Every structure is written in C-alpha cells, then in structure tokens.
C-alpha cells in the first residue's frame, strides 16, 4: 500500500520574480519613509518632510501603497489566494492616487515632463499585468 505523496506546490518562475520585486520595492519604500520621518530635518529633506506631514496624498503614496504591495508580494510568495486581492487593492489605490493628484494639480499641469507620464502609465501597466497574472493563478488553483 502506497501513500499519496503530498509534495508542496512548485512556484512558477514569475511568482518568484514578482514576489521579489514587490518585497524589495515595498521594503525600500517603507524604510525610506521611516528614515525621512525619523531623522532630523536637514535642508535638503525639509520640503519632502513637510509634504509627508501635510498631504494625505503623500501618505498614501509613500506609506499605504508600498505596504499593500509588500503584503501582496508576501502572499504571492506563499501562494495564497489573497495575493490577487492585495494587488487589486494596490491597483485601486494607485489609480485613486493618480486621479487625486491629477485633479489637485488641475489637469495636465501636474504631468509636465514626458518621463513622469511614462512612469505613471508603466507602473499602472505593471500592476494591471500582475493582477491579471494572479487572477489566472487563482483560477487555475495554484493560489489557494
């Protein structure tokens, strides 16, 4: 009589890539936030510190979104189905953040350089692709 083998699920290559990317970027972003808030105000950081303390937009961009991305990276690495929901929340927060910034700066004036427009849409394209990928993983039963 042989017992059924209960081998652990093998993580696809892109799960490793996406998880490591979000783990690293989320950790760096949060450490940067804590570093800025924890250190004395130097001349070159005074304006950024003031922005962080005064604007809810900056708090969501520098704190909440990286925390959600970090959570999504951990959940994806653990092959948990909630990874899809974490990345979907990150997408909603990113779009909301972008719209709030766009409205607060009265339209196209906010996006004056071409590189900022490319960066915004590239970031949105990446998070949409990650949401689609995690949805497919969830539907195929890899994420449980």
């Amino acid at each position: 009589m042989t017992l059924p083998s209960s081998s652990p699920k093998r993580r696809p290559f892109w799960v490793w890539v996406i998880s490591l990317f979000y783990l690293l970027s989320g950790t760096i972003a949060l450490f940067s936030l804590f570093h800025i808030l924890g250190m004395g105000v130097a001349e070159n950081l005074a304006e950024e510190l003031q922005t962080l303390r005064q604007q809810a937009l900056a708090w969501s961009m520098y704190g909440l979104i990286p925390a959600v991305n970090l959570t999504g990276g951990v959940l994806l690495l653990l092959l948990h189905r909630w990874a899809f929901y974490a990345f979907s929340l990150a997408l909603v927060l990113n779009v909301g953040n972008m719209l709030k910034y766009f409205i607060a700066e009265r339209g196209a004036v906010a996006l004056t350089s071409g590189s900022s427009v490319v960066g915004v849409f590239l970031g949105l394209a990446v998070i949409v692709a990650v949401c689609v990928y995690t949805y497919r993983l969830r539907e195929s039963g890899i994420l449980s």
Side-chain angles (χ1 to χ4, degrees):
M1 181 168 128
T2 57
L3 295 173
S5 65
S6 60
S7 62
K9 292 181 183 176
R10 186 163 184 229
R11 286 171 181 75
F13 172 75
W14 286 108
V15 167
W16 286 105
V17 172
I18 294 167
S19 294
L20 291 176
F21 173 75
Y22 280 104
L23 289 171
L24 288 174
S25 64
T27 302
I28 290 169
L30 290 175
F31 275 131
S32 298
L33 174 66
F34 294 137
H35 179 70
I36 290 169
L37 294 177
M39 68 185 305
V41 179
E43 284 185 34
N44 58 349
L45 294 176
E47 187 175 312
E48 189 170 356
L49 183 60
Q50 180 182 3
T51 300
L52 285 172
R53 289 187 174 154
Q54 292 180 352
Q55 296 181 357
L57 173 65
W59 276 108
S60 68
M61 189 163 85
Y62 295 126
L64 183 59
I65 293 173
V68 172
N69 286 336
L70 184 63
T71 302
V74 169
L75 290 171
L76 183 59
L77 191 61
L78 296 174
L79 297 177
H80 199 283
R81 64 185 170 91
W82 282 93
F84 167 71
Y85 299 111
F87 286 123
S88 297
L89 177 60
L91 174 63
V92 169
L93 291 172
N94 275 302
V95 169
N97 205 11
M98 182 184 70
L99 290 175
K100 184 173 192 266
Y101 181 74
F102 191 72
I103 291 168
E105 297 297 325
R106 290 182 177 68
V109 176
L111 302 172
T112 55
S113 73
S115 63
S116 65
V117 172
V118 170
V120 165
F121 287 110
L122 183 62
L124 287 176
V126 167
I127 192 68
V128 166
V130 169
C131 286
V132 169
Y133 181 68
T134 54
Y135 176 78
R136 288 182 179 169
L137 289 176
R138 191 188 72 170
E139 292 300 309
S140 67
I142 293 173
L143 299 181
S144 56

